[in-house]
Amino acid sequence: MKKNRLGSSELMVGEIGLGCMSLGTEVKPAVALIHEALDRGVNLLDTADLYDAGLNEEIVGQAIQGRRDQVIVATKVGNRRIPGKEGWSWDPSKAYIKQAVRDSLKRLQTEYIDLYQLHGGTLDDPIEETIEAFEELKQEGLIRYYGISSIRPNVIREYVQRASIVSVMNQYSVADRRAEEEVLPLLEQKGISVIARGPVASGVLADSGAAKADKGYLDYTPEELHIIREGLSRLVTDNRSMAQTAIRYALAHPAVAAVVPGASSREQLLHNIAASESVPLTAAEINEIRELSPANLYKQHR
């Protein structure tokens, strides 16, 4: 599998990673799926302390035992669960981040995290304090690099200007091109990589995603989504399905180092990984896809 450097870091990530959130809570099949991914050349595993109240990290931790040197572990922090309370609260404080990283390390059964990501963020956060926490964790050797997971251009801009982030995880697909206007050009200019999540738009752009398109996505109507699907179908080839075409679209932008589609079955996993071997999109095909959907969908999350 092709590997790309993640920003200015020494991390070389396979262009198809594995978004672990959709692995489920049954440990044995989830671990088997991760092992299959690693055997097929995937090396980027993306999880978060929030997923399944920490169980997802535990599953990843179990799966990487004996294979730690083959894996780039990415996890996230900032959503705090308070015992006895439903849901979680947002806490980007230095004290919480430095506490939470140790909990994640324990669940992941590892001495260090390759990429530690702030799981969100707002302009009201104590940003300097948050950055201090990540920088200190780097100095302590508990993390190698850090980034943020955000779709907010104003927040991303603050971290680009003030922090030594190497990556931004951003929702990006044919059906969500918001990042193309502001975020991707900025990150490309600054040498910061994008890890694209949701490249198949929650299954809307999958080959069997017509029923999901019927339910709508973001600000799109079902009718608009079916037009996008019809347009993508015209670009399907003998060795590139609709979902793989969508994945190749996200990978085509020079700012994108990797995509992290989720997978809950072996069939899905292998289909996603095969996108790495499918024919890249031509410039004409990329332009044709861009005619299908607008890039300026930012109405909130500024």
Side-chain angles (χ1 to χ4, degrees):
M1 181 185 297
K2 181 186 176 187
K3 288 185 169 61
N4 298 311
R5 185 176 300 279
L6 195 68
S8 59
S9 78
E10 296 179 354
L11 304 177
M12 298 297 293
V13 295
E15 63 178 359
I16 309 290
L18 177 60
C20 295
M21 184 175 69
S22 56
L23 289 175
T25 56
E26 293 186 37
V27 176
K28 189 173 180 180
V31 168
L33 209 59
I34 292 173
H35 285 169
E36 179 89 42
L38 299 180
D39 291 341
R40 300 277 178 167
V42 170
N43 72 342
L44 174 62
L45 302 179
D46 179 72
T47 180
D49 57 1
L50 181 66
Y51 301 161
D52 297 316
L55 177 58
N56 199 261
E57 285 186 327
E58 291 180 14
I59 289 171
V60 171
Q62 184 172 329
I64 64 176
Q65 294 310 298
R67 307 181 71 159
R68 184 65 181 90
D69 60 342
Q70 302 173 29
V71 182
I72 292 171
V73 175
T75 191
K76 309 182 194 76
V77 67
N79 292 289
R80 182 174 193 170
R81 290 191 178 276
I82 300 174
K85 286 190 177 181
E86 293 255 344
W88 55 85
S89 59
W90 177 241
D91 189 350
S93 69
K94 180 177 178 179
Y96 177 65
I97 291 171
K98 297 199 71 174
Q99 166 198 322
V101 72
R102 286 167 170 79
D103 295 333
S104 285
L105 288 167
K106 184 177 180 179
R107 288 189 291 265
L108 290 163
Q109 300 184 57
T110 185
E111 295 180 351
Y112 64 93
I113 292 164
D114 297 288
L115 180 66
Y116 205 32
Q117 302 160 101
L118 185 67
H119 202 172
T122 74
L123 292 179
D124 295 326
D125 293 344
I127 293 176
E128 286 300 327
E129 179 183 323
T130 302
I131 293 169
E132 266 185 30
F134 284 113
E135 290 291 345
E136 289 181 13
L137 291 177
K138 277 181 64 178
Q139 292 168 11
E140 294 166 19
L142 298 182
I143 68 173
R144 295 177 67 189
Y145 302 97
Y146 67 97
I148 64 170
S149 176
S150 176
I151 60 171
R152 299 175 185 266
N154 292 343
V155 172
I156 291 169
R157 191 177 300 112
E158 288 297 313
Y159 280 89
V160 168
Q161 292 172 351
R162 299 159 68 173
S164 56
I165 58 171
V166 299
S167 64
V168 173
M169 177 168 286
N170 194 276
Q171 181 166 293
Y172 179 48
S173 72
V174 174
D176 187 357
R177 295 177 50 222
R178 292 176 291 182
E180 287 180 2
E181 282 201 307
E182 302 175 54
V183 173
L184 296 187
L186 172 65
L187 299 179
E188 183 183 1
Q189 176 191 0
K190 298 295 185 179
I192 297 168
S193 290
V194 171
I195 300 173
R197 64 177 177 85
V200 192
S202 298
V204 169
L205 305 179
D207 302 72
S208 58
K212 292 187 176 181
D214 287 338
K215 298 176 182 179
Y217 182 75
L218 296 178
D219 292 332
Y220 290 104
T221 64
E223 292 74 20
E224 289 170 331
L225 291 172
H226 283 293
I227 290 172
I228 292 173
R229 285 179 51 82
E230 183 180 341
L232 279 180
S233 70
R234 294 194 293 268
L235 301 177
V236 169
T237 67
D238 289 341
N239 81 331
R240 193 181 67 209
S241 69
M242 183 183 296
Q244 290 165 346
T245 299
I247 288 172
R248 293 300 332 176
Y249 179 81
L251 284 170
H253 197 287
V256 175
V259 299
V260 284
S264 56
S265 69
R266 183 174 184 269
E267 181 184 15
Q268 280 184 331
L269 175 70
L270 298 184
H271 192 74
N272 292 339
I273 292 172
S276 184
E277 301 169 1
S278 63
V279 178
L281 300 176
T282 65
E285 287 174 323
I286 291 170
N287 288 334
E288 187 173 339
I289 288 173
R290 286 176 177 165
E291 292 295 320
L292 298 172
S293 61
N296 56 341
L297 283 173
Y298 271 114
K299 295 181 181 178
Q300 54 182 347
H301 303 309
R302 299 296 301 186

Short mmCIF file of all heavy atoms in Angstrom, two decimals, residues 30 109 224 277:
data_model
loop_
_atom_site.label_atom_id
_atom_site.label_comp_id
_atom_site.label_asym_id
_atom_site.label_seq_id
_atom_site.Cartn_x
_atom_site.Cartn_y
_atom_site.Cartn_z
N ALA A 30 -13.68 -8.19 16.48
CA ALA A 30 -13.06 -6.88 16.25
C ALA A 30 -11.54 -7.00 16.16
O ALA A 30 -10.92 -6.40 15.29
CB ALA A 30 -13.46 -5.91 17.37
N GLN A 109 -2.49 -0.56 26.08
CA GLN A 109 -1.37 -1.43 26.46
C GLN A 109 -0.09 -1.04 25.71
O GLN A 109 0.62 -1.88 25.15
CB GLN A 109 -1.70 -2.90 26.18
CG GLN A 109 -2.91 -3.42 26.93
CD GLN A 109 -3.14 -4.90 26.70
OE1 GLN A 109 -2.27 -5.71 26.95
NE2 GLN A 109 -4.32 -5.24 26.18
N GLU A 224 -31.04 15.09 -4.29
CA GLU A 224 -29.70 15.58 -4.61
C GLU A 224 -28.66 14.48 -4.42
O GLU A 224 -27.71 14.36 -5.21
CB GLU A 224 -29.37 16.79 -3.73
CG GLU A 224 -30.16 18.03 -4.09
CD GLU A 224 -30.01 19.14 -3.05
OE1 GLU A 224 -29.80 18.83 -1.86
OE2 GLU A 224 -30.13 20.32 -3.43
N GLU A 277 -5.52 -0.05 -4.47
CA GLU A 277 -5.02 -0.68 -5.70
C GLU A 277 -5.84 -0.29 -6.92
O GLU A 277 -5.51 -0.67 -8.04
CB GLU A 277 -5.05 -2.21 -5.53
CG GLU A 277 -4.20 -2.70 -4.36
CD GLU A 277 -4.45 -4.17 -4.05
OE1 GLU A 277 -5.27 -4.79 -4.77
OE2 GLU A 277 -3.83 -4.68 -3.11
#
